[in-house]
Amino acid sequence: EVRLVESGGGLVQPGGSLRLSCGASGFSFSTYAMSWVRQAPGKGLEWVSAITGSGGTTNHADSVKGRFTISRDNFRNTLFLQMNSLRAEDTAVYYCAKVIDTSRGYRPFDCWGQGTLVTVSS
Amino acid sequence: QSVLTQPPSVSGAPGQRVTISCIGGSSNIGAGFDVHWYQQLPGTVPKLLIFDNINRPSGVPDRFSGSKSGTLASLAISGLQAEDEADYYCQSADNNLGSRVFGGGTKLTVL
């Protein structure tokens, strides 16, 4: 069974940092691209960051570019999101998500973690 | 403000058919990027409903169908059931943004 489990969320002050983790199991982790998607309270889904299976290529939404960094450890089957210079508008549930297959392009997400809540407030 | 526009809400009675539109432009849906649809039941994580415009993952009832033409994608739900009440999101990619994009989401109410 494919499983994704996020951790690392919490309350942080504006300007602070947080590192999210997503532990993966049940599939060949290094084969699949992964993403982080967030959802602000009562709002819609927003794609945040993506990384290829090898970790060699990353991409970030303009709203987080220069502040967030996605990375992965394929030996530990873990995805990370380093979040710096956090703002109130970054408050959201952060989901890690696995793409459906290994085809090239912007593949959809067939598996999502349960999410971890990040609250940015003083 | 997303580059993919969805109606904020739709509604229908049990047994009826409803459609949810996802309107894009020449840099996303019109550029040939595939459209995918997710269902998010209240208090749960999103679930892939339709991928690559028309395909259903294993386990998704055939009451759900997708289509795409030009800059417009649509999700149709026939034989509406109470358990279909959820938020629905389209997702594609955009050349100008160089990334995936989600629509703003549509809340389906079963009357």
Side-chain angles (χ1 to χ4, degrees):
Chain A
E1 178 197 2
V2 174
R3 195 160 181 242
L4 300 172
V5 180
E6 301 94 336
S7 60
L11 174 63
V12 61
Q13 291 189 337
S17 298
L18 215 52
R19 189 194 198 202
L20 305 183
S21 299
C22 171
S25 60
F27 66 102
S28 179
F29 181 68
S30 64
T31 303
Y32 290 86
M34 300 288 293
S35 274
W36 289 96
V37 178
R38 69 184 180 184
Q39 186 169 32
K43 302 297 184 182
L45 301 173
E46 180 188 12
W47 172 81
V48 174
S49 302
I51 187 168
T52 55
S54 66
T57 301
T58 63
N59 193 14
H60 300 272
D62 288 344
S63 58
V64 306
K65 204 165 288 186
R67 301 187 299 123
F68 290 13
T69 302
I70 188 172
S71 63
R72 65 194 296 161
D73 183 337
N74 285 343
F75 291 104
R76 292 164 51 195
N77 288 353
T78 305
L79 178 72
F80 302 102
L81 185 67
Q82 178 66 44
M83 304 186 295
N84 299 329
S85 303
L86 282 160
R87 307 166 180 167
E89 54 264 36
D90 295 319
T91 294
V93 173
Y94 285 73
Y95 298 102
C96 68
K98 165 192 167 290
V99 296
I100 192 171
D101 55 38
T102 58
S103 301
R104 295 178 64 85
Y106 299 102
R107 303 305 291 143
F109 307 120
D110 69 336
C111 185
W112 300 62
Q114 86 288 350
T116 186
L117 176 62
V118 172
T119 303
V120 184
S121 174
S122 54
Chain B
Q1 195 85 359
S2 176
V3 296
L4 302 180
T5 302
Q6 296 181 236
S9 64
V10 297
S11 63
Q16 282 189 334
R17 181 178 186 271
V18 298
T19 61
I20 299 173
S21 59
C22 177
I23 303 171
S26 58
S27 63
N28 40 72
I29 298 176
F33 289 112
D34 289 324
V35 178
H36 321 294
W37 292 89
Y38 300 87
Q39 175 194 58
Q40 187 174 30
L41 297 170
T44 70
V45 303
K47 169 191 169 183
L48 183 63
L49 202 62
I50 298 287
F51 68 97
D52 295 349
N53 310 311
I54 61 172
N55 298 302
R56 285 186 306 277
S58 173
V60 173
D62 59 6
R63 301 188 296 106
F64 296 90
S65 62
S67 63
K68 174 190 158 186
S69 178
T71 60
L72 171 67
S74 297
L75 172 70
I77 310 172
S78 59
L80 208 55
Q81 299 179 5
E83 64 244 38
D84 298 333
E85 194 160 280
D87 293 322
Y88 293 83
Y89 296 89
C90 62
Q91 181 230 312
S92 186
D94 188 273
N95 276 327
N96 292 339
L97 298 174
S99 67
R100 292 175 173 87
V101 289
F102 284 97
T106 299
K107 182 175 181 58
L108 168 63
T109 300
V110 180
L111 302 171

